[in-house]
Amino acid sequence: MKPTAEVLQDLAQPSNVAVHSNAELAGDVSATAAADDEKRKTDDLAPLRRKPRLLAVPAKDLDPSVQLTAWDVLHALGRAITLSRRGAGRGLAEHWGCLKYNQALTGDSDSFMALTSEGRDTADYYKALQSGELGTGFALTLATRLLRRRYPDHFVSIVSADTALRAGWALTSRDSGPKSGYRYRPQFFAEVWQPGAASRVIPIACKGNHSGLSTSHTQLASASAHAEAVHIGVWNETPSLVFSTELPLDGPLAVHLLESGGDGGWLDAPPRTLDHALEDENVFPGIQPPPTHGTEPEEPEPGYHVKPERYAWFQHALARTAAASLTAFAGDGRATTPYLTKRQGQRHFAGLTHAATDSVQDARHQFLGIDFVGTDHVFRLNRRRVEAFSGVAEDLFRHLEAGRVERYRHEVYARRSTWPHATWDPGWNGPISVHADGSVLAMRSLRH
């Protein structure tokens, strides 16, 4: 068992992560998808509708090896699961789930990141959960880096796809409205935006495994079907990113990445005022293909289609959902409630919570010269009491708290390149991660 101080130092230590994306990978995934379709036919099942073609990401957009800290990956995971509604905390403390992996990863600047002995032991019992959640953290960290390089004059926001889509579609039998009956969906959207301009939205499907490369081929083929389930604008022109993170028990991890091309995904419409509340819509499910014989419309395919008349509404939904995710990450249920519609889970942030699962925005700390407000969590790490803090830069949080989404977006866009990159705060004496959206995740030992 490592001393707690050493665990905290390891979390802040940059390490190398291999990124695998080339024509050979794309060919292997295509062959895996074709084999799966043949098997489905043999089993009297319809082949899955997937992205027509998956491509390698050009080397100029993402290096084959990148340096990350485990703490930054956990920060990305914590932000991603804030609105997941999977635990008994009714959403108010979902993000603390990322902390269960604070001893799962190891590496340094001279090596590639891999699982620790604890990570390997956990995989024996919770293989799918650990690989899926860590895969999400790595995928979203790399997706953000890739898109920032491609769109240097834009901001990149990661938004929960289920939460955003629920504002317009009934995803499950429990949701009100016309039921989609389709279980394939991307897990996230990347919104690439500038204030007052059209956004570009890129579906992201990500998976993870503790098995090997052949499993990653299968996962990427499956992820292609999930990414295909959302079309924005013209049929088959919505770009997407698909990831499979391979976390072997006996070697370094690798992130396998492919993309689908296309000129779509742009929400090109006069923008709404984002400060106004969002209402649930009842969009009829299905993706409308173009006519192939004469002028008769084809039957809709299963999925979710954002048509031009819905562009402004969808941009509104994405911005409000991203705001809700930030205020929930800071532990403020009262500030989160106005940003969500009833179907998106507004009541999960408005009612009473179970004992020991709540999160309250009542903590304040300064990191690297910036004042943050948020929530804290005290627990034991290797028998030592530690404190975790999650929050948002105070000036930006006050805008969100008051419902000023437009003001928040203008200011965070202007500051997108100014945030510190340090991984350790000496005054706090622990690992720290600050993201461009103004959020922070930090942890330190407490005195006995």
Side-chain angles (χ1 to χ4, degrees):
M1 183 184 296
K2 280 188 177 183
T4 301
E6 190 174 338
V7 173
L8 297 183
Q9 290 166 359
D10 286 349
L11 288 169
Q13 177 66 50
S15 186
N16 300 293
V17 175
V19 182
H20 183 206
S21 185
N22 55 33
E24 181 182 3
L25 176 65
D28 289 339
V29 172
S30 178
T32 299
D36 181 64
D37 288 343
E38 287 299 317
K39 183 179 184 305
R40 291 178 67 87
K41 289 179 183 178
T42 302
D43 296 338
D44 292 326
L45 297 172
L48 294 177
R49 199 182 75 249
R50 310 175 202 262
K51 284 294 179 184
R53 187 183 178 200
L54 291 177
L55 306 167
V57 172
K60 65 181 178 63
D61 291 332
L62 193 64
D63 298 326
S65 175
V66 299
Q67 282 210 333
L68 303 173
T69 68
W71 194 238
D72 191 39
V73 172
L74 297 189
H75 186 177
L77 172 60
R79 289 283 292 109
I81 62 179
T82 300
L83 300 177
S84 63
R85 294 165 51 185
R86 290 182 296 182
R90 298 176 184 265
L92 290 180
E94 297 282 0
H95 64 289
W96 292 132
C98 70
L99 298 180
K100 62 180 172 285
Y101 302 117
N102 55 32
Q103 295 184 86
L105 299 168
T106 187
D108 56 45
S109 58
D110 295 324
S111 65
F112 282 87
M113 198 175 289
L115 290 174
T116 62
S117 58
E118 178 172 297
R120 294 192 294 271
D121 291 343
T122 301
D124 289 338
Y125 299 97
Y126 304 105
K127 184 175 291 186
L129 177 64
Q130 177 172 267
S131 61
E133 291 193 327
L134 288 178
T136 294
F138 282 104
L140 297 184
T141 301
L142 294 176
T144 301
R145 287 196 178 194
L146 185 157
L147 294 172
R148 282 181 186 158
R149 185 177 290 188
R150 283 186 175 173
Y151 302 91
D153 296 329
H154 289 70
F155 194 93
V156 179
S157 294
I158 301 296
V159 184
S160 164
D162 268 13
T163 307
L165 290 172
R166 269 197 169 91
W169 290 268
L171 303 186
T172 68
S173 59
R174 297 188 301 273
D175 297 328
S176 61
K179 305 296 187 290
S180 70
Y182 196 58
R183 66 184 183 89
Y184 291 92
R185 295 185 294 276
Q187 291 99 330
F188 301 96
F189 294 120
E191 184 194 8
V192 182
W193 56 271
Q194 292 176 321
S199 299
R200 193 173 203 193
V201 181
I202 298 163
I204 298 174
C206 47
K207 297 174 180 283
N209 69 83
H210 290 303
S211 301
L213 183 56
S214 62
T215 300
S216 285
H217 293 161
T218 301
Q219 289 188 333
L220 289 169
S222 172
S224 177
H226 287 269
E228 173 68 3
V230 175
H231 281 210
I232 298 169
V234 179
W235 170 263
N236 270 343
E237 286 293 330
T238 305
S240 67
L241 293 168
V242 295
F243 294 83
S244 173
T245 299
E246 182 185 346
L247 298 122
L249 302 183
D250 57 355
L253 66 87
V255 181
H256 305 287
L257 161 64
L258 294 171
E259 67 176 338
S260 64
D263 296 326
W266 290 101
L267 302 178
D268 189 10
R272 294 182 174 189
T273 300
L274 302 178
D275 293 350
H276 291 171
L278 182 70
E279 298 293 334
D280 279 324
E281 299 280 347
N282 286 307
V283 183
F284 199 81
I287 302 173
Q288 185 60 58
T292 55
H293 301 291
T295 58
E296 288 297 317
E298 296 287 312
E299 285 294 315
E301 295 283 353
Y304 311 89
H305 197 169
V306 182
K307 297 179 180 179
E309 62 269 23
R310 300 282 182 183
Y311 285 174
W313 166 82
F314 196 55
Q315 189 176 41
H316 191 191
L318 291 169
R320 302 283 292 187
T321 303
S325 178
L326 270 172
T327 54
F329 190 72
D332 198 325
R334 184 169 58 181
T336 302
T337 300
Y339 287 117
L340 298 174
T341 68
K342 182 177 180 181
R343 201 160 55 209
Q344 284 182 306
Q346 187 183 81
R347 67 183 178 87
H348 291 268
F349 293 89
L352 295 174
T353 57
H354 301 298
T357 59
D358 202 353
S359 180
V360 180
Q361 188 273 298
D362 63 354
R364 175 182 280 101
H365 291 287
Q366 186 177 91
F367 302 105
L368 306 173
I370 303 170
D371 291 325
F372 291 87
V373 294
T375 186
D376 52 13
H377 177 49
V378 176
F379 61 103
R380 289 192 181 272
L381 176 61
N382 293 345
R383 300 178 182 175
R384 175 112 187 190
R385 291 173 67 242
V386 294
E387 174 189 11
F389 174 86
S390 67
V392 177
E394 183 169 12
D395 57 336
L396 296 176
F397 179 81
R398 297 306 171 204
H399 293 320
L400 295 173
E401 182 183 43
R404 298 189 294 264
V405 183
E406 297 275 6
R407 181 79 177 273
Y408 163 80
R409 282 168 74 98
H410 274 84
E411 292 194 13
V412 81
Y413 174 82
R415 293 161 60 178
R416 67 192 184 280
S417 302
T418 65
W419 298 98
H421 299 292
T423 63
W424 187 275
D425 185 319
W428 168 261
N429 197 27
I432 184 170
S433 170
V434 179
H435 283 186
D437 59 7
S439 66
V440 65
L441 185 68
M443 191 162 69
R444 65 178 174 182
S445 291
L446 293 176
R447 294 178 181 176
H448 287 291

